[in-house]
Amino acid sequence: MDNQEFLEKRRFIIKLGKALHKFGTPAYRLEAHLQGVSTVLGIEGYFLISPTAMTFVLQRDEEQEYNHVARVKPGDLDLGALARTDELVEELMSGQRTLQEALERLEEIANKPNPYGTKLTLLAFGTSAGAFAMLMGTSWNDVFWSGVLGLMVYGLVYRAERSKRMAEMLEPLAAILCAILAYGIAQLDPSVNIPVIILSGIIIFIPGLALTLGLAELAARDLISGTARVMDAFMLLFKLYFGVILGMVIGKTIFGEVTYLPPDSLPKWAIWAAVPILSTALVIIFKARLKDSPWGIMAGIVAFFSAMLGAIYFGESIGIFFGALAVGVYSNLYARWMKAPASIALLQGIVILVPGSKTYIGLNTLILGETIFNQSHLGIQIFLIFMSIVAGLIFANVAVPPRRTL
């Protein structure tokens, strides 16, 4: 390997690492993937990845070592870009592309606009908020108004993508506006459950998946990244919670107290229907490719119904273990059959299981002593659910070992 070839390969590995980090790849998976790619390219590589920093150490021989340290922003999930990048690496390894072509294609993937456009993404935000309210089993009134708040939240997200100042205050601002509007809505429709429609409106920001990924990284002994991701998730949760409390105080001051009129509860079938609806919305929000979307939707269904079946015999918290085990096995089999990253199916299944909303409710109970839903021992239940998910994924990787690193 001459010096020019080493420089090209080095440039590709660094650019690949930054792209996969931007697309939301967990640190332990990214490090393993970069290790595999560098070995195939004939370079000895060592990598240290965290949500905000990346360190690359690349060696051609004992005398020539190159260190690269980059400060990066935490990545957002983009499952379509992740799948395209995985295909690109496969094409490079099989000789279908040269290094220069791979670098150009990587740049093209990174700059590709949202494949679903503004209108479909707007619809997905509204649908995901409404579907979450359905999953909570409240009422049709809550489902409708949650969807309306979800549409408003996407308006803020759309603006934040174009304004750095808006991006810095996006989550607490969304929580404040949702809480104020919820009190206004309650004046028009006293049968709405104010805490439920606020939580449903901001559910897309609740960091349940980030907490789960952080714990999974800690379980994989990736201590720096795992700790950073867990603390970042908690800080986001605190920002959202403060925004909700402030918004509720302002809303109560503007609109006054509301007398709650309990409506009819949702029929049982609506709760079951919420899972495929929510999974379909997540396909658009996570920007998964259309050809991968049926697998992602099925992952959500497999996770939810396996968890429900397990809950019948072992209780809700341990039932989640069987949901995580089932979706972990399913995603590893999907990766084998489709020769695609297991993360595409896995993350869309896990997000259905994560107790992000319960973490928020637990925080509310801890600080105010008020319960949104009548659930006892919520803190212990949240802890058990998170541990059950992590344990389920570990057992799934033992039952059906993953053949791909992503």
Side-chain angles (χ1 to χ4, degrees):
M1 186 192 307
D2 60 29
N3 194 53
Q4 185 59 35
E5 187 182 359
F6 172 68
L7 291 175
E8 274 195 5
K9 288 180 177 179
R10 185 184 76 188
R11 186 174 162 224
F12 174 76
I13 291 168
I14 291 170
K15 205 163 186 177
L16 174 67
K18 289 180 178 178
L20 288 172
H21 184 278
K22 179 184 174 184
F23 304 148
T25 310
Y28 66 99
R29 286 182 179 270
L30 179 51
E31 288 174 1
H33 188 67
L34 291 176
Q35 195 87 47
V37 170
S38 60
T39 301
V40 171
L41 291 176
I43 295 175
E44 193 173 352
Y46 305 93
F47 308 94
L48 180 62
I49 310 296
S50 78
T52 56
M54 305 181 75
T55 302
F56 301 78
V57 179
L58 300 169
Q59 283 182 317
R60 189 177 72 175
D61 51 50
E62 290 184 3
E63 296 179 359
Q64 190 170 12
E65 183 178 282
Y66 177 82
N67 296 344
H68 180 89
V69 180
R71 176 73 167 81
V72 291
K73 293 181 180 178
D76 294 319
L77 271 182
D78 187 337
L79 297 181
L82 181 66
R84 293 182 191 97
T85 305
D86 185 64
E87 283 182 354
L88 166 65
V89 172
E90 290 293 321
E91 289 168 1
L92 176 66
M93 298 307 163
S94 63
Q96 296 175 46
R97 285 183 188 270
T98 64
L99 265 174
Q100 189 56 43
E101 288 172 345
L103 281 165
E104 289 170 4
R105 174 62 178 154
L106 202 54
E107 189 72 31
E108 186 184 316
I109 292 169
N111 296 322
K112 189 178 176 66
N114 187 339
Y116 293 104
T118 304
K119 291 178 182 176
L120 264 180
T121 308
L122 171 69
L123 180 64
F125 267 72
T127 303
S128 64
F132 177 77
M134 287 173 69
L135 209 53
M136 293 293 98
T138 52
S139 69
W140 288 117
N141 307 62
D142 291 345
V143 172
F144 173 76
W145 291 115
S146 296
V148 171
L149 290 182
L151 297 176
M152 184 276 295
V153 166
Y154 177 68
L156 297 176
V157 171
Y158 181 81
R159 183 77 185 100
E161 288 171 352
R162 290 152 181 79
S163 168
K164 187 178 179 182
R165 290 173 65 189
M166 175 67 86
E168 288 174 353
M169 60 177 182
L170 172 62
E171 294 89 356
L173 179 63
I176 291 167
L177 292 179
C178 277
I180 294 171
L181 288 174
Y183 271 87
I185 289 165
Q187 291 292 331
L188 297 173
D189 183 358
S191 61
V192 297
N193 186 324
I194 291 175
V196 168
I197 66 169
I198 295 171
L199 178 57
S200 299
I202 61 171
I203 193 61
I204 203 69
F205 297 128
I206 298 290
L209 183 60
L211 276 170
T212 305
L213 291 177
L215 291 171
E217 287 175 342
L218 288 171
R221 303 289 175 85
D222 208 320
L223 304 181
I224 295 174
S225 180
T227 304
R229 198 182 294 274
V230 167
M231 291 310 300
D232 181 53
F234 273 116
M235 286 309 301
L236 176 54
L237 196 63
F238 293 152
K239 286 192 289 184
L240 287 168
Y241 187 73
F242 171 76
V244 169
I245 294 297
L246 179 59
M248 288 177 77
V249 170
I250 295 171
K252 198 177 291 185
T253 303
I254 296 171
F255 299 105
E257 289 283 357
V258 179
T259 304
Y260 177 58
L261 301 176
D264 294 332
S265 296
L266 286 175
K268 196 74 175 175
W269 64 262
I271 299 171
W272 298 85
V275 178
I277 294 170
L278 180 56
S279 295
T280 304
L282 290 175
V283 165
I284 298 171
I285 293 169
F286 291 162
K287 302 172 189 171
R289 298 180 301 180
L290 274 178
K291 72 175 187 177
D292 297 324
S293 59
W295 299 97
I297 294 167
M298 184 56 68
I301 294 169
V302 166
F304 183 78
F305 289 110
S306 299
M308 284 200 68
L309 191 62
I312 293 170
Y313 298 102
F314 303 101
E316 183 184 351
S317 301
I318 303 302
I320 296 289
F321 166 80
F322 292 97
L325 176 65
V327 79
V329 169
Y330 169 85
S331 59
N332 287 343
L333 290 173
Y334 159 79
R336 291 186 181 192
W337 295 332
M338 303 301 292
K339 294 181 171 55
S343 300
I344 292 172
L346 181 66
L347 295 179
Q348 290 184 76
I350 290 299
V351 79
I352 299 292
L353 299 176
V354 292
S357 59
K358 287 191 176 184
T359 311
Y360 170 91
I361 294 164
L363 189 63
N364 186 72
T365 306
L366 178 68
I367 295 173
L368 296 181
E370 299 173 357
T371 54
I372 296 175
F373 299 106
N374 186 23
Q375 292 178 315
S376 59
H377 308 296
L378 197 60
I380 297 170
Q381 195 179 47
I382 292 165
F383 177 77
L384 270 175
I385 289 173
F386 275 122
M387 292 301 101
S388 293
I389 292 173
V390 173
L393 296 179
I394 292 170
F395 276 80
N397 287 338
V398 173
V400 182
R403 291 181 180 173
R404 305 174 78 86
T405 48
L406 286 182

